[in-house]
Amino acid sequence: MSRTTDELLVGRLVVVGLGLIGGSFAKGLRARGVCREVVGVDLDPQSRRLAVERGVVDRCEESLAAACQGADVIMLAVPILAMERLLGELARLDLGDAVLTDVGSSKGNVVRAAQAAFGAMPARFVPGHPIAGSEQSGVEAANGELFKRHKVILTPVAQTDAQALQRVDRLWRELGADVEHMQVEHHDQVLAATSHLPHLLAFGLVDSLAKRNENLEIFRYAAGGFRDFTRIAGSDPVMWHDIFLANREAVLRTLDVFRDDLDALRDAVDAGDGHHLLGVFTRARVAREHFSKILARRAYVDAMHSNDLVFLANPGGTVRGRIRVPGDKSISHRSIMLGSLAEGTTEVEGFLEGEDALATLQAFRDMGVVIEGPHHGRVTIHGVGLHGLKPPPGPIYLGNSGTSMRLLSGLLAGQPFDVTLTGDASLSKRPMNRVAKPLREMGAVIETAADGRPPLTIRGGQRLRGLSYAMPMASAQVKSCLLLAGLYAEGETSVTEPAPTRDHTERMLQGFGYPVTVEGSTARVESGHSLRASHIEVPADISSAAFFLVAASIAENSELVLEHVGINPTRTGVIDILRLMGGDISLENQREVGGEPVADIRVRSARLKGIDIPEELVPLAIDEFPVLFVAATCAEGRTVLRGAEELRVKESDRIQVMADGLLALGAKVEPTPDGIIIDGGVLGGGEVHSHGDHRIAMAFSVASLRATAPIRIHDCANVATSFPNFLALAGQVGIRVAEEGQP
Ligand code: S3P
């Protein structure tokens, strides 16, 4: 790659120390043509020779003074403990305007050494640390691509020159690195915990075992676990010896905390305290899975060069078969909440292993509840009682899940500790005043960001008072939030809803032996009772089944059975609406499971017709409108929806986002402030955007059954929040949708 002089970022780059990291930095920048000249300095003549031979540098100098004359950027890539001497030598040279930077794995010691050598931290010295280790070493392993999509942390100090910082930042970005800026102390603390401590433990464990078994016989019996745990004990001993001496204080702090935790584990083993062990192991396992997901996502992003997951839905198809969609999201959330607050062990079956319900599960783990699973939908919750939650170690991240945030805010308002609830970009835009306001009336102290948006900080230790609340909107989340707060409030809490909304909280509280009275549109609880552990069977989610109810209705020649679907009357609006449109849907094998009615639902193709959707059905089908809009585009005549302004504040503005997508496919639709008008007709193909809304992505997948050309649906990763195996089940019954690029 050749560049004009104007484009050159650096005239002369000097790299002192031609090991793996210094060599890779030199080689990468040289190959990208961003330096007029790359000069290497190394004490070892072999490394200097190899560096030139392998094109790592243009030339080498033995003398630091000669190399640094006229340098623009000087990269210090020597071992950490050699840094002090090197900085001393540099301080005696006239470096002109040269920018200095380094790659040391700990930063506090480098800054101190620079201050000692120069009398003060030079403004043009930008400390840095690329996190791109490898068991390989030496200039022969230099790789110009080593830093691509790896993190590089720069740790400027107060006096660091902004231009110098920007220059170093640009160089790393040229190499494809993901650059972050951090304070020196923070860097050292984070690295001590995530890198230095594990190395210390690996070296220490292997040595400890080896010492006790001089002939190393026991390693013959070591298997994968030992190999994986101790891989890093194969790292460079001298380098690591340097790191521990350089980052002593931060390592000691994290080691002391770990020693306490290890002692607690030892005591648990000694005392036969299985509960403690299970708590540590289940928490560790999810933390580890979370880390693996981050790694996998990085690999995925690497492969795709973007994080836009695209579904490609090919036109046509018939829908046939018998399937069971995953567990109900609303009931799954509540099973974790009430199971955690109950006394005794609650078993849950059919739990939805989607990201939203898992966010709730993780929140309770963070608050000290031991939860086993989920494994094939089974979860075991070791309840801690209404007053047994512990403060979480930090803010609770709830991803995309509005239900988690709203229900938790009520429950947490009554705890003795402070909690902050955060979420992803979509959740961070959703209105929380609808819960914060009535909770404040009960005496809760809640801080929100501007306009009542997340994050929410809920102050603990407040005395809550019962409230009689008439909800301004029909929201099961608000109702449930206040009932959960009511478990902790003095006296009685009652909530009156303007229209019926899902009543899973009321049913499940009763299932856990907690008295709830429901009279007309008012539900009441009072504090002072307790929850008894229970067994919960989560039915299949009618909101997930809805995609297939519409699919089999609109596709030619179709017949599908959806097994074990929850048909709680507060959720069956989608069946009523489809039947009013002429849908052929029958309920078979109706029964009650754990306080919730379920049935197998048979659906056959039908000639749908447009209708005025009765407003009283809106809250009973609130999550199903995206796919019902698809049904309406395939129906004969006009469908009109009114009284559904709540759709504008879901995971996306579902009225606008669906209207935009349907228009892109050539449908005739007109959004209104509280609904939509859709004229049935022909659907074409095209590009649509789900705006990260799971239900929009799935609705457009279903639309392909009646489209005349392929539909590309952008931003589909959040389908995993409610329906992780959607593509598999869709494919199984005949919907031709898959991740783009996959067979
Ligand atoms: C839910 C209630 C509804 C629904 C959401 C789940 C619940 O929200 O849209 O997906 O589990 O209580 P609103 O209460 O905002 O209507």
Side-chain angles (χ1 to χ4, degrees):
M1 202 189 297
S2 78
R3 303 202 182 205
T4 66
T5 329
D6 287 352
E7 282 178 295
L8 287 182
L9 293 174
V10 178
R12 178 183 296 172
L13 168 70
V14 176
V15 177
V16 187
L18 295 168
L20 171 73
I21 300 288
S24 299
F25 184 79
K27 192 173 183 180
L29 289 177
R30 183 166 182 265
R32 284 165 176 78
V34 293
C35 306
R36 188 167 32 78
E37 187 187 29
V38 180
V39 181
V41 184
D42 200 288
L43 293 176
D44 174 34
Q46 280 282 24
S47 298
R48 295 200 299 268
R49 186 179 57 73
L50 275 173
V52 177
E53 247 174 56
R54 309 216 165 177
V56 170
V57 295
D58 294 300
R59 62 188 176 85
C60 275
E61 289 281 355
E62 198 178 334
S63 132
L64 186 66
C68 291
Q69 226 165 47
D72 290 308
V73 175
I74 306 172
M75 162 56 85
L76 313 179
V78 299
I80 284 203
L81 294 190
M83 193 66 98
E84 205 170 314
R85 229 194 62 214
L86 174 60
L87 286 164
E89 282 178 43
L90 286 166
R92 285 191 289 278
L93 301 177
D94 174 11
L95 299 175
D97 278 344
V99 170
L100 291 176
T101 185
D102 80 309
V103 292
S105 327
S106 70
K107 303 282 25 122
N109 70 304
V110 173
V111 171
R112 282 192 296 276
Q115 282 163 341
F118 288 86
M121 181 67 182
R124 298 180 71 74
F125 184 7
V126 181
H129 174 208
I131 304 181
S134 152
E135 269 97 69
Q136 292 179 309
S137 58
V139 73
E140 50 277 45
N143 165 11
E145 306 301 314
L146 183 68
F147 307 109
K148 216 170 182 174
R149 278 188 273 285
H150 276 81
K151 284 217 182 318
V152 170
I153 302 176
L154 300 181
T155 60
V157 295
Q159 55 271 57
T160 306
D161 176 74
Q163 272 182 342
L165 175 62
Q166 200 194 354
R167 196 152 201 212
V168 175
D169 189 301
R170 283 252 346 241
L171 287 177
W172 283 114
R173 285 183 202 277
E174 278 289 324
L175 294 174
D178 171 10
V179 186
E180 286 185 25
H181 298 182
M182 211 183 252
Q183 290 203 330
V184 171
E185 300 71 30
H186 187 207
H187 168 276
D188 286 359
Q189 202 57 58
V190 169
L191 269 289
T194 57
S195 166
H196 306 171
L197 180 63
H199 279 83
L200 193 78
L201 299 181
F203 282 126
L205 177 73
V206 177
D207 178 54
S208 170
L209 294 180
K211 258 191 332 214
R212 275 184 272 152
N213 298 274
E214 272 158 33
N215 58 10
L216 303 182
E217 177 69 3
I218 55 158
F219 292 146
R220 281 181 51 213
Y221 305 103
F226 179 80
R227 182 195 61 215
D228 293 343
F229 183 80
T230 59
R231 178 178 62 80
I232 50 181
S235 307
D236 181 350
V238 178
M239 183 181 105
W240 281 96
H241 144 278
D242 284 12
I243 290 174
F244 286 109
L245 297 181
N247 198 22
R248 228 176 73 207
E249 289 104 50
V251 168
L252 286 178
R253 270 198 297 276
T254 189
L255 186 59
D256 286 346
V257 173
F258 180 68
R259 256 197 348 204
D260 291 346
D261 289 343
L262 198 59
D263 280 344
L265 271 176
R266 189 198 173 283
D267 292 348
V269 172
D270 187 23
D273 180 354
H275 186 257
H276 181 89
L277 297 177
L278 209 51
V280 172
F281 299 167
T282 46
R283 284 193 304 272
R285 182 181 172 163
V286 280
R288 169 68 216 190
E289 278 165 5
H290 178 68
F291 172 65
S292 308
K293 266 195 215 144
I294 292 178
L295 286 183
R297 198 164 295 168
R298 218 179 275 166
Y300 180 78
V301 170
D302 274 2
M304 308 296 289
H305 295 287
S306 92
N307 51 11
D308 179 11
L309 177 57
V310 175
F311 283 3
L312 181 63
N314 281 310
T318 58
V319 175
R320 299 196 148 259
R322 230 187 138 82
I323 53 170
R324 177 165 171 165
V325 299
D328 187 278
K329 185 152 75 77
S330 295
I331 298 177
S332 295
H333 280 297
R334 288 156 172 86
S335 71
I336 299 294
M337 295 182 189
L338 300 192
S340 295
L341 298 178
E343 276 151 34
T345 304
T346 290
E347 296 280 349
V348 185
E349 281 176 79
F351 179 80
L352 166 64
E353 298 184 34
E355 287 171 8
D356 278 13
L358 290 172
T360 292
L361 192 154
Q362 184 59 31
F364 283 88
R365 276 197 177 125
D366 287 347
M367 292 189 284
V369 183
V370 174
I371 304 176
E372 296 172 69
H375 182 64
H376 297 160
R378 279 188 83 92
V379 181
T380 306
I381 308 164
H382 299 265
V384 294
L386 276 168
H387 301 283
L389 294 179
K390 300 209 181 84
I396 295 181
Y397 178 71
L398 298 169
N400 196 245
S401 179
T403 309
S404 308
M405 190 169 283
R406 298 216 177 102
L407 270 59
L408 273 175
S409 63
L411 196 157
L412 294 172
Q415 303 302 323
F417 48 83
D418 295 356
V419 193
T420 296
L421 303 179
T422 67
D424 70 5
S426 150
L427 182 53
S428 300
K429 285 191 222 137
R430 299 185 66 186
M432 292 298 148
N433 274 341
R434 55 179 60 199
V435 288
K437 273 193 179 149
L439 286 173
R440 286 184 191 128
E441 284 180 42
M442 294 177 79
V445 176
I446 300 185
E447 293 148 27
T448 68
D451 298 329
R453 311 283 156 185
L456 296 185
T457 295
I458 300 159
R459 301 282 168 207
Q462 315 299 322
R463 274 171 73 105
L464 301 187
R465 298 173 298 274
L467 174 73
S468 181
Y469 190 65
M471 275 195 299
M473 74 289 283
S475 165
Q477 292 180 353
V478 176
K479 172 175 66 173
S480 303
C481 161
L482 298 178
L483 292 177
L484 291 173
L487 305 184
Y488 295 91
E490 260 167 46
E492 185 184 88
T493 300
S494 71
V495 189
T496 303
E497 51 192 11
T501 68
R502 66 193 69 193
D503 61 358
H504 306 301
T505 306
E506 297 90 304
R507 285 177 190 249
M508 201 182 284
L509 277 169
Q510 282 160 344
F512 276 85
Y514 202 101
V516 182
T517 47
V518 181
E519 274 166 353
S521 55
T522 302
R524 286 193 174 77
V525 291
E526 56 174 31
S527 55
H529 304 275
S530 59
L531 294 152
R532 270 193 319 273
S534 173
H535 182 100
I536 298 174
E537 265 189 59
V538 183
D541 197 331
I542 190 165
S543 297
S544 298
F547 298 102
F548 294 96
L549 293 178
V550 172
S553 299
I554 64 173
E556 294 283 302
N557 203 13
S558 297
E559 177 165 356
L560 185 70
V561 176
L562 294 150
E563 292 174 346
H564 204 78
V565 182
I567 50 158
N568 179 315
T570 58
R571 298 285 299 280
T572 45
V574 61
I575 297 178
D576 299 334
I577 293 171
L578 282 172
R579 280 182 172 158
L580 287 172
M581 295 176 81
D584 179 355
I585 297 174
S586 51
L587 303 184
E588 300 173 357
N589 195 13
Q590 294 195 39
R591 57 220 180 263
E592 187 162 307
V593 177
E596 292 278 350
V598 297
D600 300 332
I601 308 180
R602 185 179 298 272
V603 51
R604 298 187 183 87
S605 316
R607 283 176 69 89
L608 299 181
K609 54 184 194 308
I611 57 165
D612 269 13
I613 298 175
E615 272 192 46
E616 67 273 16
L617 290 180
V618 169
L620 310 182
I622 192 69
D623 291 336
E624 287 66 74
F625 283 107
V627 78
L628 282 170
F629 293 173
V630 170
T633 59
C634 302
E636 219 178 275
R638 173 169 283 196
T639 297
V640 181
L641 172 68
R642 294 186 197 85
E645 57 281 346
E646 277 293 303
L647 291 180
R648 294 204 178 265
V649 289
K650 294 292 178 188
E651 286 84 328
S652 69
D653 175 346
R654 287 184 173 159
I655 292 177
Q656 195 58 48
V657 171
M658 280 307 295
D660 291 345
L662 289 171
L663 284 169
L665 301 182
K668 273 184 72 183
V669 305
E670 192 191 324
T672 61
D674 69 340
I676 198 163
I677 303 167
I678 299 176
D679 286 312
V682 178
L683 275 182
E687 305 267 331
V688 298
H689 294 265
S690 83
H691 291 263
D693 186 329
H694 53 139
R695 300 202 196 279
I696 305 275
M698 292 185 275
F700 281 114
S701 305
V702 169
S704 65
L705 288 160
R706 285 283 289 272
T708 52
I711 305 177
R712 284 185 83 226
I713 312 160
H714 290 273
D715 207 0
C716 294
N718 277 341
V719 166
T721 60
S722 69
F723 201 157
N725 60 340
F726 171 72
L727 287 178
L729 285 187
Q732 188 183 323
V733 300
I735 306 176
R736 298 166 178 166
V737 59
E739 259 176 50
E740 192 169 63
Q742 305 287 318

